[in-house]
Amino acid sequence: MKRGLYILFITTVLVSCSDFQKALRSEDVGEKFKLGTELFEAGKYNKAFRLFEQVLPKYRGKPQAEKLTFMHAMCSYQLKDYYISSYHFDKFTDVYPKSEKAEQAAFLSAKGYYYNSPVYSKEQKETVEAIEKFQLFINQYPNSQYGEEANKLVKELDYKLEKKAFEIAKQYDLIRDYKASVKSFNNFLFDFPGSRLKEEALYYRLHAEYNLALLSIESLKAERLQLAINYYKAFKKAYPNSQFQEETLEWQQKLNEELQKINTKDNTK
């Protein structure tokens, strides 16, 4: 019985391949459309895509064009060719803005950009584009069935931008370019006020300003010591029970001692 089922399976596959090859070489546009649709519905997106590529220009302006254009874009999406699928989904929504598939096409276009977003350490051009795409989608379809997923994916993309900016600022601290580190962390805190990395950002900003103050020339030292003390106060207020509280308290004491030395020296002049 198993041998019979195996033979039946092989026969079906061979017939299917034969039909596909025949349709691929055929001049019958209707045959290509019909078989392409069957292959698409069976999840055989690579073969369906090849047939749709051949007939798509022939159906422009015809009633079947809307369905064909959507399936063509969906084939690229299912094959994980996200640059191409987003391009075709965008074309679909431009040509058929009132289609019942327009909402899904707009969402999948944005999702294609999401999949093309690289790891946070790389250039984030695609990440920014994906966020913009999702924002356009959310604004256009505020009550969409895809809204919850869209918002979730935007948060993931936002975090990549946060992580990228945070690591750049942290790198300045590691290479002891404390002035650039403080500036970068200030930009980070302004751009991402609700970031989950805020505690660490305040900690590293304080660390950078602490070292900058201690290493400053005498004419700038008092001002920078005071600024570092202010950063400590901001950190302590925001995170009174921080994991860094012991270390930052030592910094604060050192800053106060150094400032006291300067004030004492000035008073004796």
Side-chain angles (χ1 to χ4, degrees), residues 199-200 202-204 206 231-255:
E199 180 180 356
E200 289 183 78
L202 289 171
Y203 166 79
Y204 280 108
L206 171 57
Y231 283 167
Y232 169 79
K233 290 177 180 177
F235 175 81
K236 181 68 175 175
K237 182 178 180 181
Y239 300 98
N241 300 310
S242 171
Q243 58 180 316
F244 305 114
Q245 61 180 323
E246 186 175 336
E247 187 176 10
T248 55
L249 179 59
E250 291 177 4
W251 296 345
Q252 186 249 7
Q253 291 170 347
K254 176 67 173 176
L255 291 166

Side-chain angles (χ1 to χ4, degrees), residues 85-224:
S85 69
S86 291
Y87 170 77
H88 286 303
F89 279 130
D90 285 343
K91 284 187 68 176
F92 179 86
T93 56
D94 286 343
V95 178
Y96 307 106
K98 295 183 179 179
S99 170
E100 63 178 19
K101 293 288 188 179
E103 180 182 336
Q104 184 182 8
F107 174 70
L108 292 178
S109 171
K111 201 169 181 182
Y113 280 87
Y114 163 82
Y115 283 126
N116 285 324
S117 171
V119 295
Y120 76 86
S121 57
K122 294 185 177 182
E123 172 61 42
Q124 294 298 301
K125 177 176 176 289
E126 289 88 351
T127 303
V128 173
E129 289 175 340
I131 292 171
E132 291 173 350
K133 278 286 185 181
F134 276 122
Q135 292 296 348
L136 286 171
F137 172 79
I138 291 167
N139 291 340
Q140 188 171 2
Y141 301 100
N143 301 312
S144 172
Q145 61 178 313
Y146 307 110
E148 185 177 346
E149 185 179 359
N151 282 300
K152 178 185 175 184
L153 296 179
V154 168
K155 287 181 181 179
E156 286 185 31
L157 294 165
D158 276 336
Y159 183 69
K160 281 188 184 182
L161 298 183
E162 290 178 27
K163 186 70 172 172
K164 174 82 172 180
F166 177 85
E167 291 298 333
I168 289 172
K170 185 178 175 182
Q171 187 62 31
Y172 282 127
D173 186 69
L174 291 174
I175 64 173
R176 300 184 181 184
D177 188 346
Y178 299 121
K179 191 172 183 180
S181 182
V182 169
K183 182 178 180 180
S184 295
F185 276 119
N186 278 332
N187 290 337
F188 174 86
L189 292 164
F190 179 81
D191 292 336
F192 308 104
S195 173
R196 70 183 84 171
L197 298 170
K198 185 175 180 179
E199 180 180 356
E200 289 183 78
L202 289 171
Y203 166 79
Y204 280 108
R205 183 183 69 167
L206 171 57
H207 178 260
E209 189 61 44
Y210 168 80
N211 283 291
L212 185 61
L214 295 183
L215 296 171
S216 288
I217 59 175
E218 288 302 314
S219 60
L220 297 174
K221 196 165 189 177
E223 180 183 349
R224 287 177 173 170

Side-chain angles (χ1 to χ4, degrees), residues 53-74:
E53 281 278 280
Q54 290 186 347
V55 302
L56 194 60
K58 307 291 185 181
Y59 278 94
R60 287 202 177 97
K62 295 183 179 180
Q64 302 95 324
E66 181 181 330
K67 179 181 179 181
L68 178 58
T69 304
F70 182 84
M71 289 192 296
H72 178 247
M74 184 61 87

